[in-house]
Amino acid sequence: MTTALIGFAILLFLIVVIRIPIAFSMGIVGFFGFAAVQGLTFENFADFNWKPALSMASKRIVDTAQEYSLSVIPLFILMGNLVTKSGLSQELYRASYAFLGHKKGGLSMATVVACGGFSAICGSSLATSATMAKVAMPPMRKYGYADSLATASIAAGGTLGILIPPSVILVIYGLLTETSIRELFAAGFIPGFLGIFLYLMAVKYVVWRNPEAGPCGEKFTWSERLQALNGVWGVLILFTIVMGGIYLGIFTPTEAAGIGAGGAFVIALARKSLSFGSLFDILTDTARTSAMLFSVLIGALIFSNFINRAGLPDELLTFVTGLDVSPMMVIFVILLVYIVLGMVFESLSMLLLTVPIFFPLVQSLGFDLVWFGIVVVVVTEISLITPPVGMNVFVLSAVLRDIKASTIFKGVTPFWCADILRLILITLIAQISLFLPELLYR
Amino acid sequence: ETVLRVGSWLPPTHPQNAVVWPTWSKWVEEATEGRVKVKVEYGLGHPKTMFDLVEDGAIDASFSYHGYVPGRFKLTQGIEQPLLGVNAEAASVAHWRVHNKYFAKAEEHDGVELLALFTHGPGQIHMAEPIKSLADLKSKKIRLGGGVQGELGKRMGVTAVGAPAPKVYEMMQQGVIDGVFIPMSEQKSLRLKEVAKNVVHLPGGMYLGSFAMFINPDFLDGLSQKDRDAVMAVSGEKLSAMAGKAWDQGDREGVEAAKADGVNIIEVGADDSFAKEFRELVEGMDEEWIESVKSRKVDAKAALAEMREIARNYGK
Amino acid sequence: MAFSAWLSAHYEEKGPIKWLAFALELVAALTLFFLMILTCADVVGRYFFGNSVDGATELTEIGIAVLVFAEMPVVTWRGGHVVVDILDRMWGNVALKALGLLSALLMSGSLYYLGVRIYQLAERSLRREEVTELLELPVGYIVQYIAVMSWLTAALMISYGVYRLFTEERS
Ligand code: NA
Ligand code: NA
């Protein structure tokens, strides 16, 4: 436990004080931490056997860079960039603006809803945030929204991606625990919509406190609104192709990224909004963002190898099992552990490390594993926007180069509170998750 | 006291993690009188990476599927050849014995020390919609794993779809694939019983899948002679047989789970049309395999014959 | 002439580095475009013609590695990796440059040493004739590429990246 905690402390120091890029901080601490657990000390530095640690880190680099399921990252970002370039996003937002713009914070609300919609087609939170950042940020800026509110609604909205099916994370949870995946998918719906609703409340709260953050626009007449709708057919077609293709079984969510990008490319061509030069810009911009994201993922995985080896997961289990409290208290302690871990972990590595440890305990306490899956996913979502290592926040600051992570973290606080409220509701009222699976399958 | 770190990768509930590793670790602890303790770790990466992680000492021992590293492991496909007609336990024992007698000198496992060789249970056909003959599989979208499945798929004329096993559920549910070739245990552990409601259960299955359990040689050297011998004494054929048996049990549980969930399992008899069709389909596959391992300079023909003899007479 | 003007407008880098940046990004861009086309062709082939692209998964995997590591040197020397900047206001300009230099050293150092190990792993893989499942492409070559690109990133970061760090104005 001590080794892992020292590792955390050093990591935070490197990231926050020394301002070494996150990817490299995690990689370096993970590497030396792993070596330390293997017996590295200051005395044996010169003749230490570095091979195990070097191979561990090297294999993470080589394997992650060739991970098929990660192809969604460059391809969905490419789709977002193409959609933006062809002017579709502006039109989508003009329409949202026509309907919601006269309300305070209306575009932020539109963003949250759009993220929810995009989540439904995309299995990955990172891809959702990166795509929506490209689509939603320019219009919100144009209409004078504060950067903190605008980016926070994207970062928070992006976390909806892992709860609304199809969800990569739920599938992995189902396989780790042998829980019915279709029940998990069904269980995710209501908590997902609850999330959207609470985020909308969070936007309302922010603009109530500070009306400047999301200024009201003019009110449109109904005929103007319908006219604005004319422009969104392109997005609707793309959405229908991607969504429909997945639900009809024509392609997988992973492939949907490529299809979505291809579809956006065709639309952009049809609208004559592409030249060789601008296509090159879009492709290279996407490649740069992807390289950054892959670096962060690789760093996170190397770091998680160290934490795992340092025995943190096991000691947590010992700690939780040793508590002499009611079953529900055990669950709350586990959730607290998740929130603390979430401050430094990337969601997938956190899930892989913790679920195998906790689920037998939870099962033996008599809880429903479908319900626990949803609780775990919600708490993992929270980790995506929890400082100091909220992966969604970093994605945004990587995609929007001129916005600081600190600005986003500041804006995200009300959304984080909304998430905590939802977590408490879902934990205490199991029916929120279990109603649909019981209705459909049990 | 020495800690032997085992890197594992299937779900914790899978027989490999729920039965095989715990049983072996009990054996090891008993044999070394508690001086060597086994500890299982998860989340280390892709299964194929386990070979490298063990070789370079990042973990002490692990297991992997040979089909994930094509090109390096060719001889291990011998045991996977169709029509062996036995369960995993019998096949695993034959796998281990024949490897040591014929294949070990080809050094395909160069860099790691083998603890055991085993196979999963017979691979069967799991479909969303029922089929009446193997010819119905033509142009169907089938997820194929590594090993000999590629050749089977080619001969059947299926549209091959590549994907890691954990993706199969999602792809079946969405209809991206029409079916999958995989052992019966996956009806339970991959939850195929929800999405692949039609199984053609061939006697002895279509193929087997070859696995290895292995350990870092330097780790073994670091043990006392006594403990090293103790660890190896509870490995080898004993461990291979135990692993095969556990995976067979997984298959039985898969069948039960599938039946409980109303999966339509066609039990094919040895003389049924499905079985005849299959025998014709795979004609000559073993000779092709013998041809493909020529560069390994081993007597593959004799090895295959002996493998079949050991496996088919096992337990008799 | 027009191309050279376009290049200068797009790449702030100087001299040969400008051309290198362009070449690397061209590889990344073409690969990304290829990945998009490949997925579409695979899906269309499988759904409408009952015949998917052989080895599409393998090609995608290789494509991601090519894409990410072609872009890695450019992203790194431009200081494009994600940093937490909460304390930036506290540091003076000199301190920030010093920290930047420290980062550059650590990044280059770690990429160099990992590159060595990755290259050794690649050689081992080639020696053992490891190939991909369907297309039987040697796995080691793409691993060698990753190693070489790690070295290139390290070399450019410690030279051009540091030069940029000290010459560019704080924004
Ligand atoms: Na989703
Ligand atoms: Na986090």
Side-chain angles (χ1 to χ4, degrees):
Chain A
M1 185 82 109
T2 344
T3 323
L5 291 182
I6 294 172
F8 279 136
I10 297 176
L11 175 67
L12 290 185
F13 182 74
L14 291 188
I15 292 178
V16 178
V17 183
I18 311 293
R19 88 195 282 292
I20 297 170
I22 308 219
F24 288 86
S25 301
M26 288 195 288
I28 289 169
V29 175
F31 174 80
F32 284 103
F34 193 86
V37 182
Q38 293 242 325
L40 174 71
T41 60
F42 286 109
E43 287 80 40
N44 64 10
F45 201 86
D47 47 24
F48 183 70
N49 175 17
W50 291 98
K51 206 160 87 177
L54 280 171
S55 279
M56 178 278 288
S58 301
K59 290 305 285 187
R60 281 301 193 195
I61 296 176
V62 170
D63 291 350
T64 311
Q66 297 179 76
E67 167 72 46
Y68 175 71
S69 60
L70 293 181
S71 64
V72 296
I73 291 180
L75 289 170
F76 268 130
I77 297 174
L78 177 61
M79 173 177 115
N81 281 340
L82 282 165
V83 163
T84 306
K85 179 68 198 171
S86 55
L88 288 176
S89 63
Q90 282 91 324
E91 287 171 9
L92 184 63
Y93 268 82
R94 204 174 305 138
S96 312
Y97 188 67
F99 282 87
L100 292 165
H102 63 287
K103 293 194 170 160
K104 268 184 271 175
L107 280 187
S108 281
M109 296 186 190
T111 302
V112 168
V113 175
C115 283
F118 193 80
S119 305
I121 55 174
C122 164
S124 149
S125 286
L126 298 190
T128 304
S129 305
T131 312
M132 290 309 292
K134 293 285 180 191
V135 180
M137 201 58 199
M140 280 197 277
R141 280 195 156 161
K142 189 175 151 215
Y143 292 116
Y145 276 58
D147 278 351
S148 56
L149 175 62
T151 48
S153 31
I154 301 169
T159 66
L160 296 167
I162 56 180
L163 194 54
I164 298 176
S167 152
V168 180
I169 295 268
L170 280 178
V171 171
I172 292 171
Y173 175 89
L175 294 176
L176 281 173
T177 61
E178 293 200 0
T179 309
S180 164
I181 293 161
R182 64 179 182 197
E183 286 187 19
L184 282 168
F185 277 4
F189 266 107
I190 298 178
F193 283 104
L194 183 64
I196 295 180
F197 173 76
L198 288 174
Y199 281 168
L200 293 180
M201 292 298 109
V203 175
K204 271 199 176 296
Y205 170 81
V206 172
V207 292
W208 171 68
R209 287 296 303 271
N210 176 18
E212 296 295 291
C216 319
E218 56 200 298
K219 193 163 182 164
F220 286 74
T221 65
W222 273 101
S223 70
E224 283 170 322
R225 285 178 180 175
L226 292 178
Q227 205 161 16
L229 271 186
N230 262 341
V232 302
W233 62 267
V235 173
L236 282 182
I237 290 178
L238 194 61
F239 188 80
T240 315
I241 291 175
V242 173
M243 277 290 264
I246 292 177
Y247 282 103
L248 293 177
I250 299 171
F251 41 77
T252 62
T254 313
E255 292 166 337
I259 300 288
F265 177 67
V266 171
I267 292 175
L269 279 185
R271 301 180 139 223
K272 299 191 172 52
S273 45
L274 278 184
S275 64
F276 271 110
S278 63
L279 179 62
F280 182 77
D281 286 346
I282 289 173
L283 291 170
T284 51
D285 190 58
T286 308
R288 277 176 221 144
T289 312
S290 309
M292 287 180 262
L293 292 182
F294 272 83
S295 308
V296 175
L297 266 177
I298 291 169
L301 288 168
I302 295 175
F303 184 70
S304 79
N305 271 12
F306 154 57
I307 292 300
N308 197 3
R309 175 58 56 90
L312 185 68
D314 282 359
E315 305 206 11
L316 283 177
L317 180 65
T318 318
F319 167 71
V320 172
T321 328
L323 294 172
D324 184 25
V325 290
S326 71
M328 201 33 122
M329 272 313 288
V330 174
I331 296 286
F332 274 102
V333 172
I334 292 177
L335 292 183
L336 203 64
V337 169
Y338 269 89
I339 290 176
V340 174
L341 286 183
M343 292 183 186
V344 280
F345 266 115
E346 178 271 326
S347 58
L348 185 61
S349 43
M350 184 159 101
L351 197 84
L352 290 174
L353 286 180
T354 53
V355 165
I357 295 161
F358 283 133
F359 94 84
L361 175 68
V362 171
Q363 195 170 26
S364 70
L365 290 174
F367 289 106
D368 189 297
L369 281 184
V370 171
W371 163 81
F372 184 64
I374 301 301
V375 171
V376 164
V377 169
V378 170
V379 77
T380 307
E381 280 182 26
I382 295 178
S383 89
L384 289 170
I385 55 172
T386 304
V389 187
M391 205 56 73
N392 271 16
V393 173
F394 296 138
V395 171
L396 278 192
S397 67
V399 177
L400 311 164
R401 299 298 300 166
D402 53 336
I403 295 176
K404 290 173 177 262
S406 47
T407 309
I408 311 176
F409 274 129
K410 207 162 62 195
V412 109
T413 312
F415 294 88
W416 192 84
C417 295
D419 267 343
I420 295 287
L421 175 64
R422 174 163 59 127
L423 180 62
I424 294 172
L425 286 175
I426 290 173
T427 310
L428 292 179
I429 311 171
Q431 275 303 310
I432 297 177
S433 322
L434 296 180
F435 174 72
L436 278 183
E438 279 175 2
L439 183 75
L440 293 172
Y441 303 120
R442 290 187 182 178
Chain B
E1 170 183 308
T2 313
V3 178
L4 196 172
R5 292 176 191 282
V6 170
S8 196
W9 46 272
L10 282 163
T13 44
H14 190 283
Q16 179 67 23
N17 293 319
V19 179
V20 179
W21 287 123
T23 311
W24 184 68
S25 78
K26 210 171 77 206
W27 290 351
V28 167
E29 279 177 38
E30 278 167 12
T32 62
E33 292 158 330
R35 286 184 300 276
V36 178
K37 284 225 156 37
V38 179
K39 190 175 174 307
V40 178
E41 273 181 23
Y42 291 95
L44 289 153
H46 193 279
K48 69 178 175 215
T49 297
M50 299 302 143
F51 286 110
D52 286 306
L53 292 183
V54 170
E55 176 168 359
D56 295 338
I59 34 170
D60 303 321
S62 187
F63 77 108
S64 193
Y65 176 54
H66 291 114
Y68 284 137
V69 195
R72 176 176 177 183
F73 299 108
K74 288 183 175 161
L75 294 170
T76 50
Q77 283 189 18
I79 198 71
E80 299 186 336
Q81 296 303 314
L83 304 180
L84 189 62
V86 299
N87 61 16
E89 184 182 351
S92 300
V93 169
H95 201 3
W96 176 258
R97 286 193 201 158
V98 169
H99 170 84
N100 285 300
K101 183 166 169 190
Y102 291 90
F103 298 160
K105 61 173 187 254
E107 296 198 326
E108 286 187 337
H109 294 84
D110 166 42
V112 296
E113 182 84 27
L114 276 181
L115 289 171
L117 289 169
F118 66 93
T119 72
H120 64 47
Q124 306 288 4
I125 306 169
H126 307 249
M127 303 293 294
E129 300 297 329
I131 52 169
K132 290 199 177 63
S133 73
L134 293 183
D136 288 354
L137 287 173
K138 192 166 160 46
S139 296
K140 287 273 191 303
K141 289 166 280 183
I142 305 288
R143 179 265 177 184
L144 298 179
V148 295
Q149 294 176 52
E151 178 62 25
L152 283 173
K154 212 183 285 171
R155 289 174 178 231
M156 289 170 174
V158 306
T159 300
V161 179
K167 280 254 160 200
V168 168
Y169 179 93
E170 200 185 335
M171 297 175 88
M172 284 294 302
Q173 192 199 31
Q174 288 165 341
V176 174
I177 49 174
D178 303 310
V180 54
F181 298 164
I182 218 158
M184 283 311 288
S185 56
E186 305 302 336
Q187 279 283 334
K188 181 163 179 266
S189 45
L190 282 183
R191 307 200 69 81
L192 295 183
K193 57 183 184 165
E194 294 174 13
V195 287
K197 289 282 190 191
N198 297 280
V199 175
V200 178
H201 194 275
L202 287 157
M206 297 194 294
Y207 62 90
L208 297 169
S210 170
F211 288 79
M213 292 164 80
F214 42 87
I215 191 166
N216 178 291
D218 296 335
F219 177 87
L220 279 182
D221 287 344
L223 298 176
S224 68
Q225 181 71 44
K226 196 174 150 201
D227 286 347
R228 192 157 58 231
D229 292 345
V231 169
M232 294 319 277
V234 295
S235 305
E237 185 173 322
K238 180 177 172 172
L239 178 57
S240 304
M242 186 264 281
K245 197 171 168 183
W247 284 60
D248 278 334
Q249 178 58 27
D251 275 0
R252 276 192 289 279
E253 284 166 16
V255 171
E256 277 164 32
K259 282 183 178 158
D261 235 33
V263 174
N264 164 32
I265 303 177
I266 303 177
E267 294 279 0
V268 179
D271 297 319
D272 293 357
S273 64
F274 265 118
K276 282 185 196 143
E277 215 183 339
F278 184 69
R279 280 197 291 273
E280 280 163 30
L281 186 84
V282 298
E283 178 122 2
M285 261 179 78
D286 45 0
E287 268 127 47
E288 279 174 23
W289 171 74
I290 291 170
E291 189 62 29
S292 76
V293 297
K294 250 189 170 159
S295 64
R296 294 287 194 261
K297 300 195 170 48
V298 296
D299 190 351
K301 197 174 166 132
L304 192 61
E306 193 161 331
M307 220 182 263
R308 286 174 172 161
E309 199 205 308
I310 297 171
R312 287 169 188 160
N313 291 317
Y314 180 78
K316 275 177 194 158
Chain C
M1 221 43 241
F3 175 71
S4 153
W6 177 86
L7 191 66
S8 297
H10 269 73
Y11 290 91
E12 57 197 89
E13 284 83 2
K14 308 206 166 55
I17 300 285
K18 180 162 63 184
W19 285 94
L20 181 62
F22 173 68
L24 289 171
E25 295 215 308
L26 186 64
V27 172
L30 289 175
T31 311
L32 179 59
F33 195 74
F34 166 77
L35 283 180
M36 179 184 91
I37 301 291
L38 175 68
T39 314
C40 293
D42 188 34
V43 169
V44 169
R46 184 179 63 211
Y47 195 74
F48 294 102
F49 306 104
N51 192 0
S52 56
V53 177
D54 279 347
T57 309
E58 291 164 19
L59 289 174
T60 303
E61 288 168 352
I62 294 170
I64 312 171
V66 171
L67 163 74
V68 168
F69 276 89
E71 198 61 56
M72 200 58 85
V74 185
V75 166
T76 310
W77 85 53
R78 285 188 176 174
H81 286 291
V82 190
V83 225
V84 171
D85 45 22
I86 310 175
L87 295 183
D88 273 17
R89 251 173 252 165
M90 269 178 45
W91 295 114
N93 214 358
V94 178
L96 274 183
K97 302 252 157 170
L99 291 179
L101 184 62
L102 179 64
S103 279
L105 280 171
L106 285 172
M107 288 156 75
S108 305
S110 46
L111 283 173
Y112 169 74
Y113 284 108
L114 284 175
V116 172
R117 186 67 203 143
I118 294 173
Y119 198 85
Q120 291 166 348
L121 289 173
E123 286 189 313
R124 188 161 88 188
S125 165
L126 286 174
R127 195 171 66 238
R128 289 177 180 159
E129 298 169 349
E130 292 174 12
V131 292
T132 62
E133 173 77 37
L134 272 169
L135 304 175
E136 306 197 339
L137 307 167
V139 175
Y141 290 136
I142 189 72
V143 182
Q144 272 181 341
Y145 164 84
I146 293 176
V148 170
M149 293 311 281
S150 300
W151 285 330
L152 188 65
T153 308
L156 284 161
M157 184 63 208
I158 204 65
S159 52
Y160 187 72
V162 171
Y163 165 79
R164 259 181 71 103
L165 179 72
F166 282 97
T167 51
E168 78 174 0
E169 289 306 303
R170 191 180 175 186
S171 52

